[in-house]
Amino acid sequence: MAELLPGSAEGAAAAAAPPPSPSQGDGRAPLPATGSAGLQQRAEEVKPDLLQEDGDSCSNYGSRDKPGPALGRTVPNGSVLFPDIFHTDHLLFYERFKAYQDYILADCKASEVKEFTAEYLERVLEPSGWQAVWRTNVFEVLVEVVDVEYSALKAVVQLSEPFLCESQDSTFTLECMQELLALKERQIPLQELWVVYDQSGEFDQTALAVEHVRFFYQCIWRTWDEDDDDDFDYFVRCVEPRLRLHYDILEHRVPSGLVADYQTLLSECEELYRKFLNVRNNISSSDSDSEVENVSMVEGLKLYEEIEHLKQKLKLIENPLLRYVFGYQKYSGLQPKGLRPTGTKITHVVSSTMMASLLQTLIRDKLCSESCSEELEIQFHNDPLAAVNACFEGDRVIICPGHYVVDGVFCIADSIELEGYGLPDDIVIEKQGKGDNFVDCTGANVRISSLKLVQHDAVEGILNIHHGKTTLENCVLQCETTGITIRTSAELLMKNSDLYGAKGAGVEIYPGSTCTLLDNGIHHCKEGILIKNFLDEHYDIPKITMVNNMIHNNEGYGVVLVRPTMPSDVKDASAERTKGNTQPMLTGDGRACVEGFRQEQLPECVTDELELYEQAETSEQTESNYEIADELGAATAKKSQMHKKRLSELGITEADDNLMSQEMFVSIVGNQFKWNGKGSFGTFVF
């Protein structure tokens, strides 16, 4: 069994980043020159695949001594005719990465961020003589910078002449703005200033420096960063993963549901941290050892634990590998329609063109079979998405041969049948346009057969099963990101199908789900099958059956199990193998089973096939099947031990049978694992 380490994925991601420039003293590189020579030098540094098609996106970091035009201009929105401002909010990932790593932060700690930023500004920012638009949530006003307070990251400003101001109401007059500036001692945070365009190039670097400060404090910095462990490189630990996540979101590489989860977690964490600071300040300012203070300390500790929990969730999403390994619990709000008010069930026929010969064979084969005793109501469609949207409980959709291009999501909330009339390669449904999902299933019993689904330019899997049971038979799935995802409490039965092309896992199995794979091909994916971590106390163990599948030519492993690092792993594994009472055991007929786990839950449709395939396994493939069953069983035994320990801590010595019988049904028989880049089975330890 091989083990993956999260660091290796981060290292691979970091390999795509530009190499650091030669450092000087504090680890920061000297600023490159601007002008034609500087632009040529920088253009040579930038790899072609990191550049956008935009020609004007090649900004640079400038130099006071060698000014040269590099930045574009943009016209401010609004009714007031403000002068044009520098166009800086379009910078590439590479440009921001290089600025923060080489010129601003280098290897500073979180507590040194403001100091390093101030030193950077002293080197590059013009101290006076430039104009800017001061923007807040309620007004915009043109100001002139007369000085810079570098250590405070603020500019000393005065109102420009003529007075230009735009606000949501008319209360911000010249006198009002002068009074407001006086209250602020004429000091404005740099991130609230947008530098007015100057074609000479003299203020290009000033505009870039202000943009870097603004972007950093809006998108990268967190109010709790300074409270974190200060022994680590802040850029590597926080800046780079957050910067990558920002651009992944901009480029639609992160599912919208995950983005929403991240924003919600961020808001919750910020709110809790504000409460925590208030409690901490109240304790610090109190001299008494009263009961009220003790209550405040308990409240503070509780808030601290909640904040740490949320921060860990944020870090998982910020990590480019772990965000997909762990995924997110997407809520599917699909509501079933139920039966039609009339109680009838309709057969929907989909065909781009209906010829008489096709209709005759369709009637003979599908619509008027010998068992058909009732009059059949039929509706015709030329779009499979429209047909599915028209379905109620118990309906059937028959798709005739053709290539159908859809721009939308198949949301199947009722128990329906979706089948192709012919071979899968002759009935192709192709997804066009960017979108999170292709097929979402929440119906109690959904059947999909004899179709080829082709996915392009997606950020989520080709098939998501949120609830209920979905049966997939004789289908071809050409994936883009992940393949099939079986969420908690959902069930998949996949037979005689072919899945390939996933940039993630071909099949993702969540805790508490049921997955049965029979006679399938899963190949040319990042990983073949990924089993999510189920060792958390809140997770149920999945039930997995794999019979006679061909899992081959995947970049990583055929099957990957995700689980947390446990200090006692090696010790416990050795002890269990010595005792021999919880390790998965191999029975005489070659079937893997975990002692003490119920075996009667084997699906009926699998029983006959098990008997056929068990005797036909080769020794090499048998070993791979045993290894996977063994490791999954060992992880399940670990889960059982953890569960018993928690009950013991609670003083429960005799537990209810249902409470103690959480199990993974493991049946791994007759599968072939060939030409997978890292082997048949691996464990991802986080």
Side-chain angles (χ1 to χ4, degrees), residues 518-558:
L518 310 175
D519 298 282
N520 302 292
I522 301 173
H523 55 97
H524 294 91
C525 302
K526 178 71 175 178
E527 312 285 351
I529 299 170
L530 188 145
I531 304 170
K532 303 266 187 176
N533 168 46
F534 56 83
L535 292 180
D536 187 280
E537 61 179 304
H538 303 296
Y539 295 161
D540 292 330
I541 298 171
K543 294 179 173 59
I544 301 171
T545 301
M546 294 171 55
V547 176
N548 202 38
N549 299 284
M550 172 65 86
I551 302 173
H552 64 95
N553 288 101
N554 296 291
E555 183 179 338
Y557 292 95

Short mmCIF file of all heavy atoms in Angstrom, two decimals, residues 518-558:
data_model
loop_
_atom_site.label_atom_id
_atom_site.label_comp_id
_atom_site.label_asym_id
_atom_site.label_seq_id
_atom_site.Cartn_x
_atom_site.Cartn_y
_atom_site.Cartn_z
N LEU A 518 -20.46 -3.05 -11.10
CA LEU A 518 -20.42 -4.38 -11.73
C LEU A 518 -20.04 -4.25 -13.20
O LEU A 518 -20.69 -3.53 -13.96
CB LEU A 518 -21.79 -5.06 -11.63
CG LEU A 518 -22.47 -5.10 -10.25
CD1 LEU A 518 -23.86 -5.70 -10.38
CD2 LEU A 518 -21.63 -5.90 -9.27
N ASP A 519 -18.95 -4.92 -13.60
CA ASP A 519 -18.59 -5.04 -15.01
C ASP A 519 -18.39 -3.69 -15.70
O ASP A 519 -18.82 -3.49 -16.83
CB ASP A 519 -19.66 -5.83 -15.77
CG ASP A 519 -19.81 -7.24 -15.24
OD1 ASP A 519 -18.98 -8.09 -15.57
OD2 ASP A 519 -20.77 -7.47 -14.48
N ASN A 520 -17.73 -2.77 -15.03
CA ASN A 520 -17.51 -1.45 -15.61
C ASN A 520 -16.05 -1.25 -15.99
O ASN A 520 -15.15 -1.93 -15.47
CB ASN A 520 -17.91 -0.36 -14.60
CG ASN A 520 -19.35 -0.48 -14.18
OD1 ASN A 520 -20.26 -0.27 -14.97
ND2 ASN A 520 -19.58 -0.83 -12.92
N GLY A 521 -15.82 -0.28 -16.85
CA GLY A 521 -14.48 0.19 -17.14
C GLY A 521 -14.31 1.60 -16.61
O GLY A 521 -15.12 2.49 -16.90
N ILE A 522 -13.27 1.82 -15.79
CA ILE A 522 -12.97 3.16 -15.26
C ILE A 522 -11.51 3.43 -15.59
O ILE A 522 -10.62 2.77 -15.05
CB ILE A 522 -13.23 3.23 -13.74
CG1 ILE A 522 -14.69 2.90 -13.43
CG2 ILE A 522 -12.87 4.61 -13.19
CD1 ILE A 522 -15.00 2.77 -11.95
N HIS A 523 -11.27 4.38 -16.46
CA HIS A 523 -9.90 4.52 -16.97
C HIS A 523 -9.61 5.95 -17.41
O HIS A 523 -10.51 6.77 -17.61
CB HIS A 523 -9.67 3.57 -18.15
CG HIS A 523 -10.66 3.72 -19.28
ND1 HIS A 523 -10.40 4.45 -20.41
CD2 HIS A 523 -11.91 3.22 -19.44
CE1 HIS A 523 -11.44 4.40 -21.23
NE2 HIS A 523 -12.38 3.66 -20.65
N HIS A 524 -8.31 6.24 -17.53
CA HIS A 524 -7.80 7.53 -17.97
C HIS A 524 -8.38 8.69 -17.16
O HIS A 524 -8.80 9.72 -17.69
CB HIS A 524 -8.08 7.74 -19.46
CG HIS A 524 -7.32 6.78 -20.34
ND1 HIS A 524 -7.85 5.56 -20.72
CD2 HIS A 524 -6.07 6.84 -20.86
CE1 HIS A 524 -6.96 4.92 -21.47
NE2 HIS A 524 -5.86 5.66 -21.56
N CYS A 525 -8.42 8.48 -15.84
CA CYS A 525 -8.82 9.52 -14.90
C CYS A 525 -7.61 9.87 -14.02
O CYS A 525 -6.58 9.22 -14.08
CB CYS A 525 -9.98 9.06 -14.01
SG CYS A 525 -11.46 8.56 -14.94
N LYS A 526 -7.76 10.90 -13.20
CA LYS A 526 -6.70 11.21 -12.23
C LYS A 526 -6.55 10.07 -11.23
O LYS A 526 -5.47 9.57 -10.98
CB LYS A 526 -7.05 12.51 -11.50
CG LYS A 526 -6.06 12.93 -10.42
CD LYS A 526 -4.76 13.41 -11.01
CE LYS A 526 -3.84 13.93 -9.91
NZ LYS A 526 -2.53 14.37 -10.46
N GLU A 527 -7.65 9.67 -10.62
CA GLU A 527 -7.72 8.47 -9.78
C GLU A 527 -8.93 7.66 -10.25
O GLU A 527 -9.90 8.23 -10.75
CB GLU A 527 -7.88 8.82 -8.30
CG GLU A 527 -6.93 9.88 -7.76
CD GLU A 527 -5.51 9.36 -7.55
OE1 GLU A 527 -5.31 8.13 -7.67
OE2 GLU A 527 -4.61 10.17 -7.29
N GLY A 528 -8.89 6.36 -10.05
CA GLY A 528 -10.03 5.55 -10.46
C GLY A 528 -11.23 5.76 -9.57
O GLY A 528 -12.24 6.32 -9.98
N ILE A 529 -11.12 5.30 -8.31
CA ILE A 529 -12.20 5.41 -7.33
C ILE A 529 -11.64 6.05 -6.07
O ILE A 529 -10.59 5.64 -5.57
CB ILE A 529 -12.80 4.03 -7.01
CG1 ILE A 529 -13.38 3.40 -8.27
CG2 ILE A 529 -13.85 4.12 -5.91
CD1 ILE A 529 -13.77 1.95 -8.11
N LEU A 530 -12.32 7.06 -5.55
CA LEU A 530 -11.87 7.76 -4.34
C LEU A 530 -12.91 7.58 -3.25
O LEU A 530 -14.09 7.91 -3.44
CB LEU A 530 -11.62 9.24 -4.62
CG LEU A 530 -10.96 10.04 -3.50
CD1 LEU A 530 -10.03 11.10 -4.08
CD2 LEU A 530 -12.00 10.72 -2.61
N ILE A 531 -12.49 7.02 -2.12
CA ILE A 531 -13.38 6.80 -0.98
C ILE A 531 -13.09 7.87 0.06
O ILE A 531 -11.99 7.94 0.61
CB ILE A 531 -13.18 5.40 -0.38
CG1 ILE A 531 -13.39 4.34 -1.47
CG2 ILE A 531 -14.14 5.17 0.78
CD1 ILE A 531 -12.99 2.94 -1.05
N LYS A 532 -14.05 8.75 0.31
CA LYS A 532 -13.84 9.89 1.21
C LYS A 532 -13.67 9.41 2.66
O LYS A 532 -14.12 8.33 3.05
CB LYS A 532 -15.04 10.84 1.12
CG LYS A 532 -15.31 11.36 -0.28
CD LYS A 532 -14.64 12.67 -0.52
CE LYS A 532 -15.07 13.25 -1.87
NZ LYS A 532 -14.52 14.57 -2.10
N ASN A 533 -13.05 10.28 3.45
CA ASN A 533 -12.82 9.99 4.85
C ASN A 533 -14.13 9.72 5.58
O ASN A 533 -15.06 10.52 5.52
CB ASN A 533 -12.09 11.17 5.51
CG ASN A 533 -12.07 11.05 7.02
OD1 ASN A 533 -11.79 9.99 7.56
ND2 ASN A 533 -12.39 12.14 7.69
N PHE A 534 -14.21 8.59 6.27
CA PHE A 534 -15.41 8.26 7.04
C PHE A 534 -15.09 8.02 8.52
O PHE A 534 -15.93 7.53 9.26
CB PHE A 534 -16.10 7.01 6.46
CG PHE A 534 -15.21 5.79 6.38
CD1 PHE A 534 -15.01 4.99 7.48
CD2 PHE A 534 -14.58 5.47 5.19
CE1 PHE A 534 -14.19 3.87 7.40
CE2 PHE A 534 -13.75 4.36 5.11
CZ PHE A 534 -13.56 3.56 6.22
N LEU A 535 -13.87 8.37 8.94
CA LEU A 535 -13.48 8.09 10.32
C LEU A 535 -13.97 9.14 11.32
O LEU A 535 -13.87 8.94 12.52
CB LEU A 535 -11.96 7.96 10.41
CG LEU A 535 -11.38 6.72 9.69
CD1 LEU A 535 -9.88 6.69 9.85
CD2 LEU A 535 -12.00 5.45 10.23
N ASP A 536 -14.45 10.27 10.83
CA ASP A 536 -15.00 11.27 11.74
C ASP A 536 -16.21 10.70 12.47
O ASP A 536 -16.98 9.91 11.92
CB ASP A 536 -15.41 12.53 10.94
CG ASP A 536 -15.82 13.67 11.83
OD1 ASP A 536 -16.97 13.65 12.30
OD2 ASP A 536 -15.00 14.58 12.08
N GLU A 537 -16.39 11.11 13.71
CA GLU A 537 -17.46 10.54 14.53
C GLU A 537 -18.85 10.83 13.96
O GLU A 537 -19.81 10.11 14.25
CB GLU A 537 -17.37 11.07 15.96
CG GLU A 537 -17.53 12.58 16.07
CD GLU A 537 -17.46 13.05 17.52
OE1 GLU A 537 -18.26 12.55 18.32
OE2 GLU A 537 -16.62 13.90 17.82
N HIS A 538 -18.96 11.87 13.14
CA HIS A 538 -20.27 12.22 12.59
C HIS A 538 -20.58 11.48 11.30
O HIS A 538 -21.68 11.62 10.76
CB HIS A 538 -20.34 13.73 12.34
CG HIS A 538 -20.08 14.55 13.56
ND1 HIS A 538 -20.90 14.54 14.66
CD2 HIS A 538 -19.06 15.41 13.87
CE1 HIS A 538 -20.42 15.35 15.59
NE2 HIS A 538 -19.30 15.89 15.13
N TYR A 539 -19.63 10.73 10.78
CA TYR A 539 -19.80 10.07 9.50
C TYR A 539 -20.19 8.61 9.66
O TYR A 539 -19.74 7.93 10.57
CB TYR A 539 -18.51 10.14 8.67
CG TYR A 539 -18.10 11.53 8.26
CD1 TYR A 539 -16.79 11.80 7.87
CD2 TYR A 539 -19.01 12.59 8.25
CE1 TYR A 539 -16.40 13.07 7.48
CE2 TYR A 539 -18.64 13.86 7.88
CZ TYR A 539 -17.33 14.09 7.49
OH TYR A 539 -16.95 15.35 7.12
N ASP A 540 -21.03 8.13 8.75
CA ASP A 540 -21.35 6.71 8.68
C ASP A 540 -20.43 6.04 7.67
O ASP A 540 -19.91 6.67 6.75
CB ASP A 540 -22.81 6.51 8.25
CG ASP A 540 -23.78 6.97 9.32
OD1 ASP A 540 -23.42 6.90 10.51
OD2 ASP A 540 -24.88 7.41 8.96
N ILE A 541 -20.26 4.74 7.83
CA ILE A 541 -19.37 3.98 6.96
C ILE A 541 -20.10 3.63 5.66
O ILE A 541 -21.26 3.21 5.69
CB ILE A 541 -18.90 2.70 7.68
CG1 ILE A 541 -18.12 3.09 8.94
CG2 ILE A 541 -18.05 1.84 6.77
CD1 ILE A 541 -17.80 1.93 9.83
N PRO A 542 -19.46 3.80 4.51
CA PRO A 542 -20.13 3.45 3.25
C PRO A 542 -20.17 1.95 3.04
O PRO A 542 -19.42 1.19 3.66
CB PRO A 542 -19.24 4.12 2.20
CG PRO A 542 -17.88 4.15 2.84
CD PRO A 542 -18.11 4.35 4.31
N LYS A 543 -21.04 1.51 2.16
CA LYS A 543 -21.13 0.10 1.76
C LYS A 543 -20.70 0.01 0.30
O LYS A 543 -21.28 0.66 -0.56
CB LYS A 543 -22.54 -0.42 1.96
CG LYS A 543 -22.97 -0.48 3.43
CD LYS A 543 -24.39 -0.99 3.56
CE LYS A 543 -24.75 -1.20 5.03
NZ LYS A 543 -24.64 0.03 5.83
N ILE A 544 -19.68 -0.79 0.06
CA ILE A 544 -19.05 -0.80 -1.27
C ILE A 544 -18.99 -2.23 -1.80
O ILE A 544 -18.53 -3.14 -1.12
CB ILE A 544 -17.63 -0.22 -1.20
CG1 ILE A 544 -17.67 1.22 -0.67
CG2 ILE A 544 -16.96 -0.26 -2.56
CD1 ILE A 544 -16.31 1.80 -0.38
N THR A 545 -19.46 -2.41 -3.02
CA THR A 545 -19.35 -3.69 -3.71
C THR A 545 -18.72 -3.44 -5.08
O THR A 545 -19.22 -2.60 -5.85
CB THR A 545 -20.73 -4.34 -3.89
OG1 THR A 545 -21.32 -4.55 -2.61
CG2 THR A 545 -20.62 -5.67 -4.62
N MET A 546 -17.65 -4.14 -5.37
CA MET A 546 -16.97 -4.01 -6.66
C MET A 546 -16.73 -5.41 -7.23
O MET A 546 -16.01 -6.20 -6.64
CB MET A 546 -15.64 -3.28 -6.51
CG MET A 546 -15.76 -1.82 -6.09
SD MET A 546 -14.14 -1.11 -5.68
CE MET A 546 -13.22 -1.45 -7.18
N VAL A 547 -17.36 -5.70 -8.37
CA VAL A 547 -17.24 -7.02 -8.97
C VAL A 547 -16.89 -6.89 -10.45
O VAL A 547 -17.60 -6.22 -11.21
CB VAL A 547 -18.55 -7.81 -8.80
CG1 VAL A 547 -18.46 -9.16 -9.52
CG2 VAL A 547 -18.87 -8.02 -7.34
N ASN A 548 -15.77 -7.52 -10.83
CA ASN A 548 -15.40 -7.67 -12.24
C ASN A 548 -15.28 -6.35 -12.99
O ASN A 548 -15.66 -6.26 -14.16
CB ASN A 548 -16.40 -8.58 -12.96
CG ASN A 548 -15.79 -9.18 -14.22
OD1 ASN A 548 -14.61 -9.54 -14.24
ND2 ASN A 548 -16.58 -9.27 -15.26
N ASN A 549 -14.75 -5.33 -12.34
CA ASN A 549 -14.51 -4.06 -13.01
C ASN A 549 -13.09 -4.03 -13.56
O ASN A 549 -12.18 -4.62 -12.99
CB ASN A 549 -14.71 -2.89 -12.05
CG ASN A 549 -16.12 -2.84 -11.50
OD1 ASN A 549 -17.04 -2.43 -12.18
ND2 ASN A 549 -16.28 -3.29 -10.25
N MET A 550 -12.89 -3.34 -14.65
CA MET A 550 -11.56 -3.12 -15.22
C MET A 550 -11.17 -1.67 -14.93
O MET A 550 -11.74 -0.73 -15.50
CB MET A 550 -11.56 -3.38 -16.72
CG MET A 550 -10.27 -2.98 -17.41
SD MET A 550 -8.84 -3.95 -16.91
CE MET A 550 -8.98 -5.34 -18.03
N ILE A 551 -10.22 -1.49 -14.02
CA ILE A 551 -9.78 -0.15 -13.62
C ILE A 551 -8.34 0.01 -14.09
O ILE A 551 -7.42 -0.61 -13.55
CB ILE A 551 -9.90 0.03 -12.10
CG1 ILE A 551 -11.36 -0.22 -11.67
CG2 ILE A 551 -9.46 1.41 -11.67
CD1 ILE A 551 -11.58 -0.25 -10.18
N HIS A 552 -8.14 0.82 -15.11
CA HIS A 552 -6.83 0.82 -15.77
C HIS A 552 -6.45 2.20 -16.31
O HIS A 552 -7.31 3.08 -16.49
CB HIS A 552 -6.83 -0.18 -16.93
CG HIS A 552 -7.78 0.16 -18.05
ND1 HIS A 552 -7.40 0.84 -19.18
CD2 HIS A 552 -9.10 -0.11 -18.20
CE1 HIS A 552 -8.43 0.99 -19.98
NE2 HIS A 552 -9.49 0.42 -19.41
N ASN A 553 -5.17 2.39 -16.53
CA ASN A 553 -4.62 3.59 -17.17
C ASN A 553 -5.01 4.88 -16.47
O ASN A 553 -5.16 5.93 -17.11
CB ASN A 553 -5.05 3.66 -18.64
CG ASN A 553 -4.34 2.62 -19.48
OD1 ASN A 553 -4.93 1.59 -19.81
ND2 ASN A 553 -3.09 2.86 -19.84
N ASN A 554 -5.20 4.82 -15.15
CA ASN A 554 -5.44 6.05 -14.40
C ASN A 554 -4.11 6.65 -13.97
O ASN A 554 -3.14 5.93 -13.72
CB ASN A 554 -6.33 5.76 -13.19
CG ASN A 554 -7.71 5.29 -13.61
OD1 ASN A 554 -8.50 6.06 -14.15
ND2 ASN A 554 -8.01 4.02 -13.38
N GLU A 555 -4.07 7.96 -13.88
CA GLU A 555 -2.81 8.63 -13.58
C GLU A 555 -2.27 8.28 -12.21
O GLU A 555 -1.07 8.09 -12.02
CB GLU A 555 -2.99 10.15 -13.69
CG GLU A 555 -1.72 10.95 -13.47
CD GLU A 555 -1.94 12.43 -13.60
OE1 GLU A 555 -2.94 12.84 -14.23
OE2 GLU A 555 -1.13 13.21 -13.06
N GLY A 556 -3.14 8.18 -11.23
CA GLY A 556 -2.71 7.86 -9.87
C GLY A 556 -2.99 6.39 -9.54
O GLY A 556 -2.47 5.48 -10.17
N TYR A 557 -3.85 6.19 -8.54
CA TYR A 557 -4.17 4.84 -8.08
C TYR A 557 -5.50 4.36 -8.66
O TYR A 557 -6.36 5.16 -9.06
CB TYR A 557 -4.26 4.81 -6.55
CG TYR A 557 -2.94 5.03 -5.86
CD1 TYR A 557 -2.57 6.30 -5.44
CD2 TYR A 557 -2.06 3.97 -5.64
CE1 TYR A 557 -1.36 6.51 -4.80
CE2 TYR A 557 -0.85 4.18 -5.01
CZ TYR A 557 -0.50 5.45 -4.59
OH TYR A 557 0.70 5.66 -3.97
N GLY A 558 -5.67 3.04 -8.64
CA GLY A 558 -6.96 2.49 -9.03
C GLY A 558 -8.03 2.84 -8.02
O GLY A 558 -9.13 3.26 -8.37
#
